[in-house]
Amino acid sequence: MFSDYTLWVYNFTLSMKIAVFTDTFYPMVNWVVTSTLTFIQKLAQRWHEIMVFCPYNKWVENYKYQNIKIVYLRWVPALFYPEFKLTVFQTTKVYRNFRKFNPDIIHFHTQFNIWLKGLIFWKTFGIPIVWTYHTKIADQEYLKNLKLNNLKFVETLARSYNNFFYKYADKVLTPSLESKKELIKHWIKKNEITVLENPLPIIEKPEIKKFFLKDLTSQAILYVWRISKEKNLDITLNVFKKINEKKPDVKFVLVWDGPYFTWLQRTAKKLGISDSIILLGMIPHDDLINSDIFSKTSMFLTCSTSETQWITVLEANYFGLPVVWVNKWWLNELIKNNSNWYKASVESVDRLAFYCLKILNDSELQKSLSQNAKDFTQKFDPEILTDKLENIYFSLQKKKELPSKKIPKLRLTSY
């Protein structure tokens, strides 16, 4: 039996310094943030030191976690996404902190402005670089935000921009087998890509239970996601309209906020379904997880086609909600013989509504799908996935066999 001291020495000896670059971070709630936060906190618990470079906000300034240091940077809002932050190029601040930290691994989670900060260091000093493929920016649904969809040359340009990072990384991580196939299809080498699912950190705290739907007495369908154009909410609302015509008592509960919130309200009114919709707006993640929202709803519905992995859907699965979604390439490995989800093409409004009604009208089917959904989420255990990430980092260190990673001094003008 090892003593606590022996284990401490062992962990300390194996500890790494990891520099993380991300354009989106706490307190935002999305797949990138959840995955990044979960992994760095789990790594920090294992005595690794983490330095995160991210945009500034008043919450992140007060973020405290053992073995994690935040270097926050000035930013300007992106025109194409009001909530998206483009960090300005504070070279001196980044370099000073980076040199002092002297990391073993650099890990990028986004491919927008923040990568310029790390680009100075990644190959220059021979530090292994890891990229996580979170977002398919060449997808037509994302290009809609720039009003550049259906332009082939723009899609090609976006894919080339995307691949610039992944082609030269030491390791590319992707959250699903289907997204790995997508990268291979577009010229990323197979041996440089590793599937590492995003972790699903569910921490239930009964003592802080929140009640948002205590007056709800009928069946309800849930949507938890960003209220934005690429989520195909126009199709989702039309699906619910079909459901509402057959079962007028069913409610549609939407959680989140976004640039299309006012549009959603207007569209619901135009479709005549406003009285059947419950808009809860943005809810802090801890409050959502420890609320009555999942227990008071019967199933989850979304028509989004813009994900590489799907935190809100997995959270719904964790709490036993059956899911109806659209037939997209990245769902093939998840849905088997309709055992946990139903899917149809994004154009098939009638078919999507049919599946929803099938679940709502059959309590035994709903019970079976619910149990299968719960079982499915076990593969996203954060501890198991952190083991995998840790081993990836270690393998890159051994592969590099760096003679010295000490970073030289550089005179830069501060501004």
Side-chain angles (χ1 to χ4, degrees), residues 21 53-57 71-76 86-98 113-118 120-121 410 412-415:
F21 289 79
F53 296 85
C54 65
Y56 168 81
N57 63 62
V71 179
Y72 42 85
L73 308 170
R74 296 193 301 272
W75 56 273
V76 294
L86 296 177
T87 52
V88 298
F89 200 73
Q90 293 170 266
T91 309
T92 305
K93 182 177 183 179
V94 175
Y95 191 87
R96 184 173 62 247
N97 282 277
F98 192 93
N113 229 31
I114 199 79
W115 70 271
L116 290 168
K117 321 296 189 292
I120 303 172
F121 319 114
L410 181 67
L412 295 168
T413 303
S414 180
Y415 58 92

Side-chain angles (χ1 to χ4, degrees), residues 223 231-232 235-236 239 301-305 324-326 346 352:
Y223 170 94
K231 304 305 180 188
N232 287 332
I235 299 171
T236 307
V239 172
L301 169 66
T302 176
C303 295
S304 176
T305 59
V324 172
W325 206 349
V326 295
V346 71
L352 290 164

Side-chain angles (χ1 to χ4, degrees), residues 31-46:
W31 228 173
V32 179
V33 176
T34 299
S35 176
T36 305
L37 267 178
T38 303
F39 276 134
I40 66 173
Q41 289 175 356
K42 292 295 181 184
L43 289 165
Q45 291 168 15
R46 301 178 183 201

